[in-house]
């Protein structure tokens, strides 16, 4: 009883303090209060609901049986839109706050919302080594489903809540991408409902133009209703080697060298300053030295990027074995390093042991409750960007990031980019090694101004034939955008499939210059 009185008294004092300071001031300057007391418990309830739902679907085997019915309902909504005169563009009815992207999608309020309730794993085909899933299946859900069967997918993008549809229509990457490419390159077929209400399957040999045009199109060619993804055998552990490297030239040389080695299952770099980094290489294995097993995914463990930094501070190499699923989602608990700006004491051992089991808050709930003041603050004083540049431009790119942003840590993730048709491909006729440079946090550059600084970054990325991930704020003009991306196949298909009256052009959907 005394514990209840203590909790009640604590909440009363908290409410009085909030009333004294003002709700907006608390949400902006002490956001951890709201996150810790409200969003973390709410995030747990969200997770419990989706886990129970996935369990019920699995027990009842309802996913394959109901999939066709749900697709027909989507087709009926599209035909209804046509019968109404096709007066507005269409978009998915999923609320914008539920997406992982920090961008605010205002088009949801003006476009015809097509409700798509497709969030189940449909089929695991062990003979073909393919898993067929609906577009709202998340990475956390998919690995939890496949791993007990002895399977995984080749590219598992970091965060639990990233969905298959978002990773196809946008893009996805992981530290295995130097072997397998981007997430889209591990997909073997897509199923879409088109602007005329028809259901179409596409693959490299069937409706191949559509297959290659769908990635990066952001839902502007049709509604994705299913995807088939390659599977590979899962192993119990990732044997990971940590190596601190100092000096920018040495960092780039070492990272490039390791990225070219196919014997490395995983390659990743964390840059803690302009000339200090830890480069990690990993291999999948079923055997492990028990004394070197590190279950980094346990809630009380240090955040992964802080754990890695210890090797740099101690100036020593190290090897350990991380359970595979813990490795795949190693940056989830700290949302890479974004959570340190929201809960400054989140990596404190006391907090981790007492409350770490509730971390992280759902990104969707953070977006839903951020308010206009926080949104503007983030837009002007915070950066979340991934730029994909050729590996040969890595050193020059890091220097540019340092001058224009000065944000650390920086994430380095290599990937092979095949010369496939579509919006994104290398400049030459051969596959080329690229690297994703991820900058997340508050820029330390004194003269940082969001629009001017990002336009400067975008100009540089275009100059080296790189690409900007489209989940983030984009400031390019239409001409600059189509200079960065190859729109030839995309525009041809939009003309052929009568998309121009059904869906906005991808530029109009994602670029700030088009939305303001």
């Amino acid at each position: 009883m005394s514990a209840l009185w203590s909790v009640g008294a604590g909440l009363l004092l908290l409410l009085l303090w909030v009333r004294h300071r003002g709700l907006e001031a608390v949400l902006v300057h002490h956001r951890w209060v709201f996150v810790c007391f409200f969003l973390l418990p709410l995030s747990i309830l969200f997770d419990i609901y989706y886990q129970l739902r996935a369990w019920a679907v699995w027990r009842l085997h309802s996913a394959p049986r109901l999939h066709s019915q749900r697709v027909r309902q989507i087709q009926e909504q599209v035909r209804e839109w046509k019968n109404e005169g096709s007066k507005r563009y269409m978009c998915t009815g999923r609320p914008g706050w539920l997406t992982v992207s920090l961008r605010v999608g205002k088009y949801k309020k003006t476009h015809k919302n097509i409700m798509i309730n497709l969030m189940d794993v449909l089929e695991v085909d062990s003979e073909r080594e393919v898993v067929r899933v609906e577009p709202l299946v998340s990475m956390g859900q998919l690995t939890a489903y496949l791993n007990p069967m002895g399977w995984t997918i080749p590219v598992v993008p970091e965060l639990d809540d990233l969905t298959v549809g978002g990773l196809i229509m946008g893009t996805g990457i992981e530290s295995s991408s130097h072997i397998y490419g981007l997430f889209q390159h591990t997909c073997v077929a897509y199923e879409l409902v088109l602007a005329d209400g028809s259901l179409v399957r596409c693959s490299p040999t069937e409706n191949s133009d559509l297959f290659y045009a769908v990635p990066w199109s952001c839902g502007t060619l049709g509604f994705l209703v299913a995807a088939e993804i390659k599977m590979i055998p899962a192993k119990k552990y990732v044997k990971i080697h940590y190596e601190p490297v100092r000096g920018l030239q040495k960092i780039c040389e070492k990272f490039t060298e390791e990225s070219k080695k196919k014997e490395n299952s995983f390659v990743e770099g964390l840059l803690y300053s302009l000339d200090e980094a830890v480069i990690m290489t990993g291999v999948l294995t079923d055997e492990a030295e028990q004394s070197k097993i590190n279950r980094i995914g346990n809630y009380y463990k240090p955040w992964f990027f802080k754990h890695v930094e210890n090797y740099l501070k101690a100036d020593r190499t190290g090897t350990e074995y991380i359970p595979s699923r813990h490795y795949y989602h190693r940056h989830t608990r700290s949302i890479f390093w974004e959570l340190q700006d929201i809960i400054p004491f989140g990596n404190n051992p006391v907090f981790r042991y007492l409350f770490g089991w509730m971390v992280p808050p759902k990104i969707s709930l953070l977006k839903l409750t951020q308010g206009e003041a926080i949104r503007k603050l983030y837009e002007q004083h915070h950066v979340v960007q991934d730029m994909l540049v050729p590996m040969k431009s890595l050193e020059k790119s890091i220097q540019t990031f340092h001058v224009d942003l000065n944000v650390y840590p920086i994430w380095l993730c290599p990937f092979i980019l095949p010369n496939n048709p579509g919006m994104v491909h290398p400049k030459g006729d051969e596959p080329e090694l690229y690297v994703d440079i991820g900058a997340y946090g508050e820029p330390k550059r004194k003269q940082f101004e969001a629009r001017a600084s990002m336009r400067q970054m975008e100009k540089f990325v275009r100059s080296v034939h790189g690409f900007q991930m489209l989940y983030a704020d984009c400031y390019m003009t239409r001409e600059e955008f189509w200079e960065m991306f190859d729109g030839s196949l995309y525009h041809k298909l939009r003309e052929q499939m009568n998309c121009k009256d059904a869906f906005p052009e991808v530029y109009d959907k994602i670029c700030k210059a088009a939305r303001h």
Side-chain angles (χ1 to χ4, degrees):
M1 199 66 180
S2 59
L4 288 175
W5 278 110
S6 299
V7 171
L11 287 174
L12 179 61
L13 289 172
L14 173 65
L15 290 172
L16 289 172
W17 179 66
V18 169
R19 184 176 180 184
H20 171 69
R21 292 298 305 271
L23 181 59
E24 184 171 293
V26 170
L27 289 178
V28 172
H29 301 292
H30 306 279
R31 201 176 184 202
W32 64 267
V33 175
F34 183 70
V35 170
C36 290
F37 284 93
F38 297 99
L39 291 194
L40 287 180
L42 196 56
S43 297
I44 293 293
L45 294 177
F46 255 61
D47 281 336
I48 290 172
Y49 166 75
Y50 282 111
Q51 288 170 8
L52 287 174
R53 185 193 179 282
W55 178 83
V57 167
W58 174 73
R59 293 290 297 174
L60 297 172
H61 302 287
S62 62
R65 186 162 37 86
L66 294 179
H67 175 73
S68 297
Q69 176 185 326
R70 289 171 179 157
V71 171
R72 284 195 295 272
Q73 289 171 351
I74 295 168
Q75 291 177 282
E76 288 169 8
Q77 292 179 72
V78 173
R79 293 184 184 119
E80 180 184 328
W81 165 82
K82 286 185 68 179
N83 293 336
E84 291 172 351
S86 310
K87 295 176 182 176
R88 295 181 291 163
Y89 288 138
M90 291 184 288
C91 68
T92 62
R94 190 184 188 209
W97 61 269
L98 272 175
T99 64
V100 172
S101 168
L102 296 179
R103 187 174 55 245
V104 179
K106 297 180 180 179
Y107 61 86
K108 296 278 185 181
K109 297 177 181 178
T110 57
H111 293 184
K112 169 75 172 178
N113 283 213
I114 304 297
M115 301 311 297
I116 297 178
N117 182 29
L118 300 171
M119 55 181 68
D120 298 317
V121 179
L122 298 173
E123 179 187 4
V124 176
D125 189 333
S126 299
E127 289 188 10
R128 291 177 56 218
E129 299 187 351
V130 164
V131 58
R132 182 167 171 256
V133 300
E134 293 179 328
L136 295 181
V137 168
S138 70
M139 290 298 99
Q141 176 187 353
L142 187 54
T143 55
Y145 191 96
L146 291 179
N147 286 176
M149 299 180 182
W151 293 103
T152 187
I153 56 175
V155 174
V156 185
E158 296 290 341
L159 303 179
D160 281 10
D161 290 342
L162 293 168
T163 63
V164 168
L167 295 168
I168 291 170
M169 291 295 186
T171 191
I173 193 170
E174 174 47 53
S175 54
S176 56
S177 289
H178 66 295
I179 299 173
Y180 299 103
L182 299 172
F183 186 84
Q184 69 202 56
H185 300 127
T186 69
C187 297
V188 297
Y190 310 126
E191 297 168 38
L192 296 100
V193 171
L194 303 183
D196 61 359
S198 62
L199 176 64
V200 171
R201 183 180 186 274
C202 58
S203 72
T205 57
E206 177 185 5
N207 298 309
S208 60
D209 277 358
L210 181 58
F211 177 79
Y212 290 117
V214 162
W216 295 74
S217 65
C218 297
T220 60
L221 293 173
F223 296 108
L224 184 70
V225 295
E228 295 176 26
I229 309 167
K230 294 175 188 174
M231 298 189 304
I232 58 174
K235 294 194 176 181
K236 293 180 182 178
Y237 301 100
V238 175
K239 181 182 180 181
I240 187 167
H241 179 73
Y242 305 89
E243 183 168 345
V245 185
R246 286 179 166 81
L248 181 57
Q249 185 178 349
K250 288 183 179 179
I251 290 169
C252 295
E253 288 173 355
K254 179 66 175 174
F255 186 75
T256 303
E257 176 190 338
E258 296 297 342
S259 300
K260 290 178 178 178
K261 295 179 181 177
K262 299 299 183 186
E263 60 266 32
N264 288 328
S265 305
F266 306 98
V267 179
E268 176 183 24
L270 292 185
L271 199 64
Y272 290 92
S273 71
L274 182 61
D275 57 2
E276 292 182 308
V278 178
I279 293 173
M280 290 159 278
T281 55
V283 292
L284 288 162
T285 178
D286 284 322
E287 306 297 328
E289 298 177 46
Q290 292 300 311
S291 62
K292 293 184 177 180
I293 293 176
N294 184 0
R295 303 184 187 280
I296 195 70
N298 289 349
Y299 72 87
Y300 51 82
K301 288 284 189 174
W303 289 346
F304 185 70
F305 79 98
K306 288 293 187 183
H307 171 66
V308 174
E309 190 177 18
N310 288 333
Y311 289 96
L312 183 67
K313 289 179 177 178
D315 196 23
R316 64 180 179 88
T317 61
T319 300
E320 58 186 13
Y321 297 81
I322 299 178
S324 295
R325 195 156 181 266
H326 289 219
Y327 177 83
Y328 287 138
H329 303 290
R330 63 198 177 282
H331 291 300
T332 292
R333 281 192 302 123
S334 56
I335 318 178
F336 279 86
W337 31 91
E338 288 279 69
L339 198 57
Q340 67 181 349
D341 292 333
I342 300 170
I343 307 177
F345 47 82
N347 194 49
N348 183 284
V350 175
F351 181 86
R352 291 202 315 267
Y353 275 89
L354 293 178
F355 306 107
W357 57 277
M358 292 195 290
V359 168
K362 306 293 278 187
I363 295 175
S364 53
L365 293 179
L366 288 170
K367 282 178 63 179
L368 179 65
T369 59
Q370 69 181 355
E372 190 63 18
I374 294 176
R375 189 188 69 78
K376 287 182 178 178
L377 193 70
Y378 261 69
E379 188 174 299
Q380 292 301 321
H381 304 287
H382 199 87
V383 63
V384 180
Q385 291 282 350
D386 285 84
M387 299 294 188
L388 314 180
V389 299
M391 186 67 79
K392 62 191 177 189
S393 302
L394 177 59
E395 184 173 349
K396 188 178 178 182
S397 300
I398 291 173
Q399 289 170 336
T400 302
F401 268 69
H402 179 78
V403 171
D404 290 345
L405 301 178
N406 195 7
V407 171
Y408 294 96
I410 280 178
W411 191 51
L412 301 178
C413 185
F415 69 99
I416 191 72
L417 185 60
N419 188 34
N420 293 338
M423 285 176 60
V424 171
H425 54 74
K427 193 170 185 178
D429 297 329
E430 299 296 324
E432 185 173 350
L433 192 61
Y434 270 63
V435 56
D436 174 8
I437 305 178
Y440 325 118
E442 184 178 345
K444 300 298 187 293
R445 184 193 176 206
K446 292 181 180 178
Q447 290 81 29
F448 176 80
E449 193 280 316
R451 186 178 184 278
S453 297
M454 286 316 306
R455 279 190 55 75
Q456 188 68 22
M457 286 290 304
E458 290 165 348
K459 181 180 180 181
F460 167 78
V461 172
R462 289 196 306 274
S463 74
V464 297
H465 197 74
F467 309 96
Q468 180 181 25
M469 280 198 188
L470 301 185
Y471 76 88
D473 282 333
C474 174
Y475 295 85
M476 290 181 281
T477 65
R478 193 180 304 273
E479 293 72 23
E480 290 166 345
F481 183 85
W482 291 117
E483 178 187 336
M484 177 178 285
F485 297 98
D486 182 353
S488 54
L489 181 61
Y490 172 79
H491 290 302
K492 184 182 89 169
L493 283 177
R494 275 179 61 84
E495 191 76 42
Q496 287 179 357
M497 300 190 306
N498 299 316
C499 293
K500 290 189 174 181
D501 294 328
F503 309 104
E505 185 184 295
V506 62
Y507 175 80
D508 295 306
K509 194 170 183 179
I510 64 100
C511 282
K512 293 186 77 67
R515 292 183 284 120
H516 291 283

